[in-house]
Amino acid sequence: MKVKKAFIVLGLALGACATATVAIKSDFDFARVKRVAVLGFSDHGNSPGSGEALSGAFEQGLLAAGYDLVERTQVDKILREKKLSASDPKAAKEIGRLLGVDALLLGRITDFREPREALRHADVVDTHQDPIYVRKTRRVQNADGTSGTTEETVIQGYRTTRTVRREPRIVTTYGRLGVSARLVFVPTGEVLWSGSDATSVYTFEESARSVAGSILKAVKKTWPVKR
């Protein structure tokens, strides 16, 4: 008898920057997953350390969710000793067995663009107001009782002068980080959930935490029950 795999597709908006999209295997008993290992994300292109930062962000999120987590150095040791590849789906079951975990979290960086700074020139307007002076004649009373006139300088108004000058400015363009991740059940190799997300990048570490957090929150219903 064929078993039809049932998935629920969810979209969860978590702030202005990111919206995680996930698919969850709805007919699975997630109470069976307590111990998890993160198989390290590979660096993206010429961005050394990007995979390490993202793996660390998912580890923090999984710990906060209540999972027992295998230390990443132990994961790396098993992969080296047994010459297994984290990117090989067929090896997931063997890796999980050796680590003694219920599930493996795997994923990749799908898009990464670093923030960029560019020198631009902007128009800056300087405004000056100069008084306008005029000579006026005014009648005055002299000390001897006679009348006379006197001239005085008064301000009649102001003349506005605008000067436009070009000034250099540093403009920062935010980057972008896209990530996909999935949780694989070790005994059967089934994908329990799969998710993806993207967000703006100012610093990679902050963006990694944002993306990992939003994907994991989107599958919150699968987290271990805290006692």
Side-chain angles (χ1 to χ4, degrees):
M1 179 179 66
K2 292 184 178 179
V3 179
K4 184 177 180 181
K5 294 182 179 180
F7 285 86
I8 299 175
V9 178
L10 303 174
L12 180 63
L14 295 161
C17 293
T19 301
T21 301
V22 300
I24 301 173
K25 194 173 189 305
S26 60
D27 58 353
F28 182 80
D29 179 12
F30 282 90
R32 299 166 67 186
V33 179
K34 295 183 176 63
R35 186 170 168 83
V36 176
V38 175
L39 296 189
F41 287 70
S42 298
D43 289 339
H44 186 271
N46 296 320
S47 304
S50 55
E52 179 75 11
L54 191 58
S55 298
F58 269 101
E59 284 185 336
Q60 292 174 8
L62 289 168
L63 284 170
Y67 289 100
D68 294 330
L69 205 62
V70 175
E71 216 285 322
R72 212 175 333 148
T73 56
Q74 187 177 345
V75 177
D76 294 338
K77 181 181 177 182
I78 289 293
L79 294 177
R80 286 195 308 269
E81 289 179 350
K82 301 299 180 180
K83 297 181 180 179
L84 296 170
S85 172
S87 60
D88 183 5
K90 296 179 180 178
K93 189 172 182 179
E94 178 64 10
I95 294 170
R97 185 188 66 78
L98 292 169
L99 292 170
V101 296
D102 304 310
L104 297 170
L105 188 138
L106 306 91
R108 65 189 183 94
I109 300 173
T110 57
D111 184 21
F112 178 47
R113 283 166 274 172
E114 293 185 356
R116 282 183 281 180
E117 290 185 343
L119 179 65
R120 306 279 173 83
H121 285 81
D123 290 338
V124 178
V125 179
D126 294 322
T127 303
H128 300 282
Q129 286 191 324
D130 300 308
I132 301 172
Y133 296 100
V134 296
R135 298 284 291 176
K136 286 191 174 182
T137 301
R138 183 169 60 88
R139 294 188 66 82
V140 296
Q141 186 77 24
N142 296 322
D144 60 1
T146 62
S147 61
T149 60
T150 185
E151 286 192 348
E152 60 183 8
T153 301
V154 297
I155 296 175
Q156 188 180 53
Y158 291 88
R159 180 183 296 107
T160 301
T161 304
R162 290 182 172 84
T163 304
V164 180
R165 57 188 171 85
R166 300 282 284 172
E167 190 173 275
R169 298 284 175 87
I170 298 295
V171 179
T172 300
T173 302
Y174 289 104
R176 184 172 176 81
L177 173 64
V179 173
S180 66
R182 64 191 185 278
L183 190 70
V184 176
F185 190 50
V186 168
T188 62
E190 294 175 278
V191 176
L192 303 183
W193 58 253
S194 177
S196 63
D197 195 10
T199 188
S200 299
V201 171
Y202 184 66
T203 67
F204 188 89
E205 290 75 12
E206 290 178 359
S207 302
R209 286 194 295 270
S210 174
V211 172
S214 64
I215 291 176
L216 291 174
K217 285 177 183 177
V219 296
K220 189 173 183 178
K221 61 185 291 184
T222 70
W223 293 4
V225 177
K226 295 183 179 181
R227 297 178 181 177

